[in-house]
Amino acid sequence: MDNVIGQIDRALDATGAIVAAVERAGLAASTPCRDWDVRAVLNHTVGGMHIFAAALSGTDASAEHDSDWLGGDPQGAYAAAAEVDRAAWHRPDALDGTVGISLGELPGPAAALVHLTEVLVHGVDIAVAIDRPDLADDELCGELLATMQAMGGIDSFRAPGIFGPEIVVAEEEPAHRRLLAYVGREVLARTP
Protein backbone atom coordinates (compact mmCIF):
# COMPACT_ATOMS: atom_id res chain seq x y z
CA MET A 1 0.00 0.00 0.00
CA ASP A 2 2.94 2.37 0.56
CA ASN A 3 3.34 2.85 -3.16
CA VAL A 4 -0.34 3.16 -4.10
CA ILE A 5 -0.16 6.93 -4.74
CA GLY A 6 2.70 6.36 -7.18
CA GLN A 7 0.67 3.60 -8.80
CA ILE A 8 -2.30 5.95 -9.17
CA ASP A 9 0.04 8.45 -10.87
CA ARG A 10 1.21 5.74 -13.26
CA ALA A 11 -2.39 4.65 -13.95
CA LEU A 12 -3.42 8.25 -14.67
CA ASP A 13 -0.49 8.62 -17.07
CA ALA A 14 -1.08 5.29 -18.83
CA THR A 15 -4.81 5.89 -19.17
CA GLY A 16 -4.08 9.42 -20.35
CA ALA A 17 -1.94 8.05 -23.19
CA ILE A 18 -4.75 5.64 -24.09
CA VAL A 19 -7.38 8.38 -24.02
CA ALA A 20 -5.17 10.57 -26.22
CA ALA A 21 -5.20 7.78 -28.82
CA VAL A 22 -9.01 7.64 -29.00
CA GLU A 23 -10.28 9.10 -32.24
CA ARG A 24 -13.79 10.57 -32.45
CA ALA A 25 -15.19 7.43 -34.17
CA GLY A 26 -13.52 5.28 -31.51
CA LEU A 27 -15.83 6.69 -28.82
CA ALA A 28 -18.59 4.38 -30.08
CA ALA A 29 -16.43 1.22 -30.01
CA SER A 30 -17.66 -1.54 -27.72
CA THR A 31 -15.47 -2.36 -24.73
CA PRO A 32 -14.84 -5.44 -22.58
CA CYS A 33 -16.84 -3.59 -19.90
CA ARG A 34 -20.21 -5.12 -20.74
CA ASP A 35 -22.85 -2.80 -22.21
CA TRP A 36 -20.56 0.25 -22.27
CA ASP A 37 -18.88 1.80 -25.29
CA VAL A 38 -15.63 3.78 -25.03
CA ARG A 39 -17.45 7.05 -24.34
CA ALA A 40 -19.43 5.50 -21.47
CA VAL A 41 -16.32 3.94 -19.90
CA LEU A 42 -14.38 7.17 -20.26
CA ASN A 43 -17.26 9.23 -18.84
CA HIS A 44 -17.54 6.85 -15.87
CA THR A 45 -13.79 7.07 -15.28
CA VAL A 46 -13.69 10.88 -15.47
CA GLY A 47 -16.71 11.12 -13.18
CA GLY A 48 -15.05 8.77 -10.72
CA MET A 49 -11.89 10.85 -10.72
CA HIS A 50 -13.88 13.99 -9.85
CA ILE A 51 -15.90 12.17 -7.20
CA PHE A 52 -12.82 10.71 -5.51
CA ALA A 53 -11.07 14.10 -5.63
CA ALA A 54 -14.09 15.76 -4.05
CA ALA A 55 -14.34 13.08 -1.35
CA LEU A 56 -10.64 13.46 -0.54
CA SER A 57 -10.83 17.23 -0.31
CA GLY A 58 -14.20 17.42 1.46
CA THR A 59 -15.90 19.28 -1.39
CA ASP A 60 -18.89 18.62 -3.63
CA ALA A 61 -18.23 16.91 -6.97
CA SER A 62 -20.99 19.13 -8.44
CA ALA A 63 -22.47 16.29 -10.50
CA GLU A 64 -23.51 12.64 -10.22
CA HIS A 65 -21.31 9.76 -11.35
CA ASP A 66 -23.49 9.14 -14.41
CA SER A 67 -23.65 12.82 -15.47
CA ASP A 68 -22.02 13.90 -18.74
CA TRP A 69 -18.50 14.69 -17.60
CA LEU A 70 -16.99 14.70 -21.11
CA GLY A 71 -19.00 17.31 -22.99
CA GLY A 72 -17.57 17.85 -26.46
CA ASP A 73 -13.92 17.35 -25.46
CA PRO A 74 -13.30 13.87 -24.03
CA GLN A 75 -9.50 14.20 -24.05
CA GLY A 76 -9.64 17.63 -22.41
CA ALA A 77 -12.12 16.38 -19.82
CA TYR A 78 -9.83 13.47 -18.96
CA ALA A 79 -6.76 15.71 -18.71
CA ALA A 80 -8.54 18.17 -16.42
CA ALA A 81 -9.93 15.39 -14.22
CA ALA A 82 -6.52 13.72 -13.99
CA GLU A 83 -4.97 16.97 -12.78
CA VAL A 84 -7.61 17.42 -10.07
CA ASP A 85 -7.44 13.74 -9.12
CA ARG A 86 -3.66 13.66 -8.90
CA ALA A 87 -3.62 16.76 -6.69
CA ALA A 88 -6.20 15.24 -4.35
CA TRP A 89 -4.27 12.00 -3.92
CA HIS A 90 -1.07 13.95 -3.25
CA ARG A 91 -2.58 15.75 -0.26
CA PRO A 92 -0.45 14.90 2.80
CA ASP A 93 -3.47 13.38 4.56
CA ALA A 94 -4.98 11.53 1.57
CA LEU A 95 -4.53 8.08 3.10
CA ASP A 96 -5.13 9.03 6.74
CA GLY A 97 -8.91 9.12 7.09
CA THR A 98 -11.85 7.45 5.46
CA VAL A 99 -13.21 8.19 2.01
CA GLY A 100 -16.94 8.05 1.33
CA ILE A 101 -17.74 6.48 -2.03
CA SER A 102 -20.58 4.42 -3.47
CA LEU A 103 -19.16 1.31 -1.75
CA GLY A 104 -19.41 3.07 1.61
CA GLU A 105 -16.82 4.62 3.92
CA LEU A 106 -13.43 3.10 3.18
CA PRO A 107 -10.09 3.60 4.90
CA GLY A 108 -7.83 5.80 2.77
CA PRO A 109 -5.53 2.98 1.59
CA ALA A 110 -8.50 0.80 0.56
CA ALA A 111 -10.11 3.73 -1.27
CA ALA A 112 -6.82 4.36 -3.07
CA LEU A 113 -6.70 0.74 -4.20
CA VAL A 114 -10.30 0.90 -5.44
CA HIS A 115 -9.47 4.08 -7.35
CA LEU A 116 -6.29 2.61 -8.82
CA THR A 117 -8.30 -0.38 -10.00
CA GLU A 118 -10.96 1.80 -11.60
CA VAL A 119 -8.52 4.05 -13.48
CA LEU A 120 -6.22 1.24 -14.60
CA VAL A 121 -8.83 -1.37 -15.56
CA HIS A 122 -11.03 1.11 -17.39
CA GLY A 123 -7.98 2.45 -19.19
CA VAL A 124 -7.20 -1.07 -20.38
CA ASP A 125 -10.87 -1.54 -21.32
CA ILE A 126 -10.49 1.47 -23.62
CA ALA A 127 -7.10 0.33 -24.98
CA VAL A 128 -8.58 -3.03 -25.95
CA ALA A 129 -11.65 -1.37 -27.50
CA ILE A 130 -9.55 0.86 -29.76
CA ASP A 131 -7.14 -1.97 -30.64
CA ARG A 132 -4.25 -0.34 -28.79
CA PRO A 133 -3.41 -2.87 -26.04
CA ASP A 134 0.23 -1.90 -26.63
CA LEU A 135 -0.52 1.27 -24.64
CA ALA A 136 -1.47 -0.70 -21.51
CA ASP A 137 1.06 -0.50 -18.67
CA ASP A 138 1.66 -4.24 -18.34
CA GLU A 139 4.02 -3.81 -15.41
CA LEU A 140 1.39 -1.89 -13.44
CA CYS A 141 -1.33 -4.35 -14.47
CA GLY A 142 0.82 -7.17 -13.09
CA GLU A 143 1.41 -5.27 -9.84
CA LEU A 144 -2.31 -4.64 -9.34
CA LEU A 145 -3.17 -8.26 -10.12
CA ALA A 146 -0.58 -9.45 -7.59
CA THR A 147 -1.97 -7.06 -4.97
CA MET A 148 -5.53 -8.29 -5.53
CA GLN A 149 -4.45 -11.90 -5.23
CA ALA A 150 -2.30 -11.22 -2.16
CA MET A 151 -5.33 -9.65 -0.45
CA GLY A 152 -7.23 -12.90 -0.90
CA GLY A 153 -9.00 -11.97 -4.11
CA ILE A 154 -11.95 -9.83 -5.07
CA ASP A 155 -14.77 -12.34 -4.65
CA SER A 156 -16.67 -10.05 -2.26
CA PHE A 157 -16.92 -7.52 -5.09
CA ARG A 158 -18.12 -10.07 -7.65
CA ALA A 159 -21.51 -10.56 -5.95
CA PRO A 160 -22.77 -6.99 -6.34
CA GLY A 161 -21.85 -7.03 -10.02
CA ILE A 162 -18.82 -4.80 -9.87
CA PHE A 163 -16.70 -7.59 -11.32
CA GLY A 164 -17.75 -10.63 -13.30
CA PRO A 165 -16.61 -14.20 -12.65
CA GLU A 166 -12.92 -14.78 -13.23
CA ILE A 167 -12.04 -16.01 -16.69
CA VAL A 168 -9.18 -18.48 -16.81
CA VAL A 169 -6.31 -17.49 -19.10
CA ALA A 170 -2.80 -18.81 -19.51
CA GLU A 171 -0.08 -17.39 -17.26
CA GLU A 172 1.87 -16.52 -20.41
CA GLU A 173 -0.74 -13.96 -21.45
CA PRO A 174 0.28 -10.30 -21.12
CA ALA A 175 -0.48 -8.83 -17.71
CA HIS A 176 -3.23 -6.54 -19.02
CA ARG A 177 -5.12 -9.55 -20.36
CA ARG A 178 -4.64 -11.51 -17.15
CA LEU A 179 -5.91 -8.53 -15.13
CA LEU A 180 -8.97 -8.07 -17.33
CA ALA A 181 -9.69 -11.81 -17.18
CA TYR A 182 -9.32 -11.76 -13.39
CA VAL A 183 -11.97 -9.03 -13.08
CA GLY A 184 -14.27 -10.92 -15.43
CA ARG A 185 -13.74 -9.18 -18.74
CA GLU A 186 -14.04 -11.42 -21.79
CA VAL A 187 -11.16 -10.17 -23.92
CA LEU A 188 -9.52 -13.15 -25.55
CA ALA A 189 -11.36 -12.77 -28.83
CA ARG A 190 -10.72 -9.02 -28.82
CA THR A 191 -6.97 -8.71 -28.26
CA PRO A 192 -3.88 -10.27 -29.79
Side-chain angles (χ1 to χ4, degrees), residues 109-182:
L113 185 59
V114 167
H115 188 60
L116 168 63
T117 301
E118 183 165 281
V119 172
L120 185 61
V121 170
H122 285 318
V124 176
D125 284 333
I126 294 169
V128 168
I130 65 168
D131 294 324
R132 291 298 311 270
D134 59 297
L135 295 175
D137 183 335
D138 268 340
E139 182 179 339
L140 185 55
C141 289
E143 290 172 17
L144 178 56
L145 180 57
T147 298
M148 289 174 161
Q149 292 168 334
M151 292 175 21
I154 58 171
D155 286 343
S156 62
F157 295 101
R158 293 187 197 280
I162 296 171
F163 299 120
E166 181 177 359
I167 297 166
V168 178
V169 296
E171 267 309 302
E172 304 82 49
E173 295 292 341
H176 72 273
R177 286 178 63 172
R178 287 186 283 119
L179 176 62
L180 288 184
Y182 187 70

Side-chain angles (χ1 to χ4, degrees), residues 5-43:
I5 303 301
Q7 290 176 318
I8 289 172
D9 284 341
R10 289 168 54 199
L12 290 170
D13 292 344
T15 298
I18 293 163
V19 170
V22 177
E23 297 176 3
R24 177 100 17 224
L27 290 170
S30 62
T31 70
C33 194
R34 187 167 301 193
D35 300 326
W36 282 2
D37 62 11
V38 168
R39 189 179 202 293
V41 170
L42 180 55
N43 190 67

Side-chain angles (χ1 to χ4, degrees), residues 8-17 19 41-57 59-67 69-70 74-89 99-101 111-112 114-123 126:
I8 289 172
D9 284 341
R10 289 168 54 199
L12 290 170
D13 292 344
T15 298
V19 170
V41 170
L42 180 55
N43 190 67
H44 172 80
T45 304
V46 167
M49 290 164 31
H50 281 291
I51 289 167
F52 265 98
L56 287 166
S57 60
T59 61
D60 182 14
S62 74
E64 300 297 320
H65 206 149
D66 59 354
S67 298
W69 294 92
L70 302 182
Q75 283 85 1
Y78 179 86
E83 186 176 315
V84 168
D85 190 57
R86 191 182 312 269
W89 285 107
V99 181
I101 61 170
V114 167
H115 188 60
L116 168 63
T117 301
E118 183 165 281
V119 172
L120 185 61
V121 170
H122 285 318
I126 294 169

